[in-house]
Amino acid sequence: MARGQAPKGTKVSGFASLRLILSAALLGALLHSPPASAQSAAAPAQTVTLGPSGLPLPRFVSLKSARVNSRVGPGANYSVDWMYTKAGLPMEIIQEFDTWRRVRDADGSEGWINQSLLSGRRTAIVAPWQRTKGGRINLLDDADKDASVVAIIEPGVTGTIKSCDGQWCEMTFDGHTGWIAQSQVWGAYPGEHVKN
């Protein structure tokens, strides 16, 4: 057997070779990267990756229409898996393909929606993880935990984000505007700055 050849009867495709090379490169990168504790505490919690559209992935958007089909694949020929019936519902875009966006909702369900049915207008759901636990979230008149209460919001309610400073979001709920801790909303990343 000649040097660099596979044993007789064994085929190694170019794709398999590429996979091996990429695996070795990834392993090398992981072994040579500094441990998480050595990284700067000021570094963002999330790495920004740009999708084919040139916009960051992941990112939050909202539904434009009150009737939006979520499909099992990126195209009108794919079957409808779910129909959303509320305009303004926040969605997280996690992948792009042509004019289709793979999205995730607050419950973790994923599907494909055409970009024409999505808006850059930012909305958020208040503490969707507390829906079944009861409780209330205070909407405050200032970005301070000791500020006076403007309204009391139930978990699962959707509001419009006016801005977020990384700690607090100024939001509007049914005509009431105030501040809510950014950690209490699904629709803005921790530490993210938003100006809607």
Side-chain angles (χ1 to χ4, degrees), residues 34-194:
S37 60
Q39 293 177 355
S40 168
Q46 194 162 353
T47 303
V48 176
T49 304
L50 297 182
S53 67
L55 296 172
L57 287 177
R59 69 180 178 276
F60 281 105
V61 294
S62 60
L63 298 180
K64 273 187 189 176
S65 172
R67 289 179 49 107
V68 175
N69 290 332
S70 173
R71 297 183 178 273
V72 297
N77 293 333
Y78 288 92
S79 62
V80 173
D81 187 39
W82 189 259
M83 180 187 286
Y84 292 99
T85 57
K86 183 174 181 178
L89 197 63
M91 293 283 169
E92 182 180 31
I93 295 178
I94 56 175
Q95 189 177 353
E96 298 177 344
F97 178 78
D98 196 25
T99 60
W100 292 85
R101 303 297 179 254
R102 186 171 186 179
V103 298
R104 179 183 302 130
D105 66 20
D107 295 325
S109 298
E110 295 180 6
W112 291 87
I113 295 176
N114 190 281
Q115 70 178 8
S116 66
L117 299 171
L118 300 171
S119 168
R121 186 174 70 100
R122 297 292 293 272
T123 62
I125 299 176
V126 175
W129 51 89
Q130 291 184 2
R131 281 185 199 145
T132 59
K133 298 175 186 163
R136 305 280 190 263
I137 308 294
N138 291 334
L139 184 67
L140 305 172
D141 72 349
D142 198 12
D144 181 347
K145 65 180 178 60
D146 297 323
S148 17
V149 176
V150 173
I152 299 174
I153 310 294
E154 290 185 23
V157 173
T158 302
T160 301
I161 296 175
K162 292 180 76 176
S163 67
C164 294
D165 65 9
Q167 297 290 320
W168 294 90
C169 290
E170 184 179 18
M171 296 183 65
T172 300
F173 298 90
D174 200 26
H176 299 282
T177 299
W179 294 86
I180 190 165
Q182 196 159 331
S183 62
Q184 292 294 309
V185 299
W186 190 88
Y189 297 109
E192 180 185 19
H193 291 257
V194 176

